[in-house]
PDB file of all heavy atoms in Angstrom:
ATOM      1  N   GLY A 144      10.457  10.332  -9.287  1.00 88.00           N
ATOM      2  CA  GLY A 144       9.705  10.795 -10.423  1.00 88.00           C
ATOM      3  C   GLY A 144       8.261  10.513 -10.385  1.00 88.00           C
ATOM      4  O   GLY A 144       7.447  11.015 -11.143  1.00 88.00           O
ATOM      5  N   ASN A 145       7.806   9.695  -9.409  1.00 93.00           N
ATOM      6  CA  ASN A 145       6.399   9.427  -9.252  1.00 93.00           C
ATOM      7  C   ASN A 145       5.785  10.534  -8.373  1.00 93.00           C
ATOM      8  O   ASN A 145       5.602  10.369  -7.167  1.00 93.00           O
ATOM      9  CB  ASN A 145       6.219   8.055  -8.590  1.00 93.00           C
ATOM     10  CG  ASN A 145       4.772   7.593  -8.560  1.00 93.00           C
ATOM     11  OD1 ASN A 145       3.846   8.399  -8.691  1.00 93.00           O
ATOM     12  ND2 ASN A 145       4.537   6.279  -8.420  1.00 93.00           N
ATOM     13  N   ALA A 146       5.527  11.654  -9.020  1.00 93.00           N
ATOM     14  CA  ALA A 146       5.092  12.845  -8.277  1.00 93.00           C
ATOM     15  C   ALA A 146       3.781  12.640  -7.554  1.00 93.00           C
ATOM     16  O   ALA A 146       3.590  13.126  -6.427  1.00 93.00           O
ATOM     17  CB  ALA A 146       4.949  14.023  -9.224  1.00 93.00           C
ATOM     18  N   ALA A 147       2.852  11.875  -8.110  1.00 93.00           N
ATOM     19  CA  ALA A 147       1.597  11.661  -7.460  1.00 93.00           C
ATOM     20  C   ALA A 147       1.739  10.896  -6.188  1.00 93.00           C
ATOM     21  O   ALA A 147       1.175  11.287  -5.109  1.00 93.00           O
ATOM     22  CB  ALA A 147       0.604  10.899  -8.397  1.00 93.00           C
ATOM     23  N   SER A 148       2.594   9.858  -6.196  1.00 95.00           N
ATOM     24  CA  SER A 148       2.809   9.080  -4.936  1.00 95.00           C
ATOM     25  C   SER A 148       3.570   9.880  -3.961  1.00 95.00           C
ATOM     26  O   SER A 148       3.320   9.747  -2.720  1.00 95.00           O
ATOM     27  CB  SER A 148       3.542   7.838  -5.285  1.00 95.00           C
ATOM     28  OG  SER A 148       2.615   6.867  -5.807  1.00 95.00           O
ATOM     29  N   GLU A 149       4.515  10.713  -4.381  1.00 96.00           N
ATOM     30  CA  GLU A 149       5.243  11.549  -3.420  1.00 96.00           C
ATOM     31  C   GLU A 149       4.362  12.548  -2.797  1.00 96.00           C
ATOM     32  O   GLU A 149       4.433  12.807  -1.584  1.00 96.00           O
ATOM     33  CB  GLU A 149       6.404  12.240  -4.135  1.00 96.00           C
ATOM     34  CG  GLU A 149       7.540  11.271  -4.511  1.00 96.00           C
ATOM     35  CD  GLU A 149       8.624  11.937  -5.299  1.00 96.00           C
ATOM     36  OE1 GLU A 149       8.499  13.099  -5.701  1.00 96.00           O
ATOM     37  OE2 GLU A 149       9.653  11.245  -5.487  1.00 96.00           O
ATOM     38  N   ALA A 150       3.351  13.114  -3.516  1.00 96.00           N
ATOM     39  CA  ALA A 150       2.412  14.016  -2.963  1.00 96.00           C
ATOM     40  C   ALA A 150       1.460  13.311  -1.904  1.00 96.00           C
ATOM     41  O   ALA A 150       1.234  13.868  -0.851  1.00 96.00           O
ATOM     42  CB  ALA A 150       1.516  14.621  -4.047  1.00 96.00           C
ATOM     43  N   VAL A 151       1.091  12.060  -2.159  1.00 96.00           N
ATOM     44  CA  VAL A 151       0.328  11.303  -1.192  1.00 96.00           C
ATOM     45  C   VAL A 151       1.226  11.116   0.046  1.00 96.00           C
ATOM     46  O   VAL A 151       0.722  11.285   1.175  1.00 96.00           O
ATOM     47  CB  VAL A 151      -0.071   9.908  -1.787  1.00 96.00           C
ATOM     48  CG1 VAL A 151      -0.632   9.018  -0.717  1.00 96.00           C
ATOM     49  CG2 VAL A 151      -1.175  10.120  -2.878  1.00 96.00           C
ATOM     50  N   ALA A 152       2.447  10.737  -0.119  1.00 97.00           N
ATOM     51  CA  ALA A 152       3.341  10.480   1.018  1.00 97.00           C
ATOM     52  C   ALA A 152       3.427  11.724   1.953  1.00 97.00           C
ATOM     53  O   ALA A 152       3.266  11.694   3.130  1.00 97.00           O
ATOM     54  CB  ALA A 152       4.742  10.050   0.559  1.00 97.00           C
ATOM     55  N   ARG A 153       3.681  12.906   1.339  1.00 96.00           N
ATOM     56  CA  ARG A 153       3.771  14.200   2.058  1.00 96.00           C
ATOM     57  C   ARG A 153       2.441  14.461   2.770  1.00 96.00           C
ATOM     58  O   ARG A 153       2.483  14.902   3.930  1.00 96.00           O
ATOM     59  CB  ARG A 153       4.205  15.287   1.117  1.00 96.00           C
ATOM     60  CG  ARG A 153       5.577  15.323   0.725  1.00 96.00           C
ATOM     61  CD  ARG A 153       5.949  16.608  -0.043  1.00 96.00           C
ATOM     62  NE  ARG A 153       7.187  16.388  -0.709  1.00 96.00           N
ATOM     63  CZ  ARG A 153       7.255  15.925  -1.988  1.00 96.00           C
ATOM     64  NH1 ARG A 153       6.178  15.719  -2.696  1.00 96.00           N
ATOM     65  NH2 ARG A 153       8.422  15.782  -2.556  1.00 96.00           N
ATOM     66  N   SER A 154       1.401  14.293   2.102  1.00 95.00           N
ATOM     67  CA  SER A 154       0.076  14.661   2.756  1.00 95.00           C
ATOM     68  C   SER A 154      -0.307  13.703   3.876  1.00 95.00           C
ATOM     69  O   SER A 154      -1.136  14.062   4.691  1.00 95.00           O
ATOM     70  CB  SER A 154      -1.012  14.632   1.698  1.00 95.00           C
ATOM     71  OG  SER A 154      -1.385  13.330   1.273  1.00 95.00           O
ATOM     72  N   CYS A 155       0.364  12.580   3.949  1.00 96.00           N
ATOM     73  CA  CYS A 155       0.069  11.574   5.007  1.00 96.00           C
ATOM     74  C   CYS A 155       1.099  11.518   6.071  1.00 96.00           C
ATOM     75  O   CYS A 155       1.186  10.537   6.794  1.00 96.00           O
ATOM     76  CB  CYS A 155      -0.174  10.242   4.389  1.00 96.00           C
ATOM     77  SG  CYS A 155      -1.641  10.105   3.403  1.00 96.00           S
ATOM     78  N   ALA A 156       1.923  12.576   6.186  1.00 96.00           N
ATOM     79  CA  ALA A 156       2.943  12.699   7.210  1.00 96.00           C
ATOM     80  C   ALA A 156       4.136  11.809   7.059  1.00 96.00           C
ATOM     81  O   ALA A 156       4.792  11.425   7.972  1.00 96.00           O
ATOM     82  CB  ALA A 156       2.319  12.516   8.627  1.00 96.00           C
ATOM     83  N   PHE A 157       4.459  11.466   5.825  1.00 97.00           N
ATOM     84  CA  PHE A 157       5.678  10.745   5.544  1.00 97.00           C
ATOM     85  C   PHE A 157       6.742  11.721   5.136  1.00 97.00           C
ATOM     86  O   PHE A 157       6.422  12.744   4.422  1.00 97.00           O
ATOM     87  CB  PHE A 157       5.480   9.719   4.415  1.00 97.00           C
ATOM     88  CG  PHE A 157       4.739   8.476   4.860  1.00 97.00           C
ATOM     89  CD1 PHE A 157       3.324   8.469   4.899  1.00 97.00           C
ATOM     90  CD2 PHE A 157       5.394   7.327   5.173  1.00 97.00           C
ATOM     91  CE1 PHE A 157       2.681   7.358   5.330  1.00 97.00           C
ATOM     92  CE2 PHE A 157       4.712   6.181   5.562  1.00 97.00           C
ATOM     93  CZ  PHE A 157       3.341   6.200   5.685  1.00 97.00           C
ATOM     94  N   GLU A 158       8.006  11.424   5.387  1.00 97.00           N
ATOM     95  CA  GLU A 158       9.099  12.274   5.002  1.00 97.00           C
ATOM     96  C   GLU A 158      10.152  11.350   4.321  1.00 97.00           C
ATOM     97  O   GLU A 158      10.272  10.169   4.669  1.00 97.00           O
ATOM     98  CB  GLU A 158       9.655  13.045   6.167  1.00 97.00           C
ATOM     99  CG  GLU A 158      10.284  12.157   7.252  1.00 97.00           C
ATOM    100  CD  GLU A 158      10.655  12.931   8.494  1.00 97.00           C
ATOM    101  OE1 GLU A 158      10.506  14.164   8.520  1.00 97.00           O
ATOM    102  OE2 GLU A 158      11.183  12.316   9.383  1.00 97.00           O
TER     103      GLU A 158
END
Side-chain angles (χ1 to χ4, degrees):
N145 188 341
S148 283
E149 289 178 352
V151 168
R153 281 188 200 92
S154 72
C155 292
F157 284 82
E158 63 188 0

